Amino acid sequence: MGMLELRSIDKVYRSRGRPAVHAVRSLDMAVEKGEIVALLGSSGCGKTSTLRMIAGFESVTAGSIALRGRRIDELPPARRKVAMAFEGYSLYPPLTVRENIAFALKSQQLSRSEVSRRVEAIARLVEIDDILESYPRVISGGQQQRVSLARALVRDADLYLLDEPMGQLEPQLRAVLRGRIKSLLAEREMTAIFVTHDQTEASALADRIVVMEDGVLQQFASEKELKERPANLFVASFIGEPPMNLLEMEVKQAGSGFRLSAGPDVAFDISGDGLDQAARGVLAAVPRVQVGIRPQRIGVGEGAVRVRIGSNQWLGDQSHIAGECAGYLLIAVIPNRIAARPGDVVQFAIAPRHLNIFGPDGVCIRHAEVS
Ligand SMILES: Nc1ncnc2c1ncn2[C@@H]1O[C@H](COP(=O)(O)OP(=O)(O)O)[C@@H](O)[C@H]1O
Ligand SMILES: [Mg+2]
């Protein structure tokens, strides 16, 4: 049994005179004790709604939530043992920073010296120990955000929910805090879910990542697995920088395997051996499929795919080379520089084993080999 289990959670916002918003759809998710999970997705995909339902600030429209095996979705927020740092901070204006953080410890009946010790320790960790006696209105947005974060992390809770906890901070401070927060969570075996729309942050901090889109969980997996085994077209194109190249290809049976092609220059033979039965069934039944190739898997210089160069950029440690081929823009990423200029024709090498193949519903029916 997981630490936290969401079963078939739905959230529909209804307000009079406005169309209903179905913000979260049939969400299933189990988080283990001590795990750090990132909710990753674009704005409006339902991340905040999900956290607020777990914390109890929004009701669930359908489904159930259990924490440590105990059903919590009917309980008021204060009885859930869930600590949350809000997107909008929600600090108490009449209280100082110190009092705001200490307020979160009120229900824990600690001695005054213990409260001070804890408040000061967490304040040092997020670098706000120099503003403990200030009021929220006189400190910056980035400082307010860290007060909100400290107020959540200072508590003893079964679960920590952090909504875009570092969005207002400069990259450098963000990277430092990320490291410290990760150590703190690991040291105390805290279970946490944080929201971000930054892939780097999700990868750096989380053990596993939930990719959400349009209220629907697309995939819940480690960063490595999201990259190497994307469940569907959405995840494949969302994760990775630059994004996976996608081409529509015609499918023809060829012996015991299949030939995929997007024009005469771009054709690949896929052996039937590497396909499971479902994939073979799909390929035998459909005229076309979407095919994805990671930019890092394309070789440049020799190969069967002729490409007209659109741009060739050296980024200091890698080249991004974009070229047109069969009506598609393909991007290759290679570790070295080449002399090609826009308009030149160069050859790209794409190995059939590096193709991800997606069925008509967008589900990945064959993943690329890893090496
Ligand atoms: N209180 C609310 N009333 C009506 N619609 C809401 C409310 N809160 C959020 N929404 C809508 O629900 C969807 C998901 O919002 P949200 O969970 O805040 O997404 P995210 O945090 O991923 O940006 C959006 O379309 C948003 O406009
Ligand atoms: Mg949000």
Side-chain angles (χ1 to χ4, degrees), residues 43-44 46-49 87 163-164 195:
S43 175
K47 306 181 294 295
T48 295
S49 299
E87 206 172 5
D163 199 347
E164 313 244 8
V195 161

Side-chain angles (χ1 to χ4, degrees), residues 66-104:
L67 184 58
R68 290 198 139 164
R70 176 180 74 134
R71 181 95 184 247
I72 59 164
D73 51 83
E74 301 285 344
L75 297 177
R79 293 189 46 210
R80 296 191 183 196
K81 294 203 79 179
V82 173
M84 179 158 173
F86 298 89
E87 206 172 5
Y89 324 140
S90 316
L91 304 179
Y92 304 111
L95 302 186
T96 62
V97 166
R98 178 190 292 279
E99 290 162 343
N100 262 281
I101 302 170
F103 193 83

Side-chain angles (χ1 to χ4, degrees), residues 13 15 18 21 23 42-50 58 87 163:
Y13 293 103
S15 43
R18 294 233 214 98
V21 178
S42 50
S43 175
C45 75
K47 306 181 294 295
T48 295
S49 299
T50 301
E58 286 291 346
E87 206 172 5
D163 199 347

Side-chain angles (χ1 to χ4, degrees), residues 298-309:
I298 298 181
V300 178
E302 46 192 84
V305 181
R306 287 164 56 82
V307 172
R308 186 169 297 277
I309 297 296

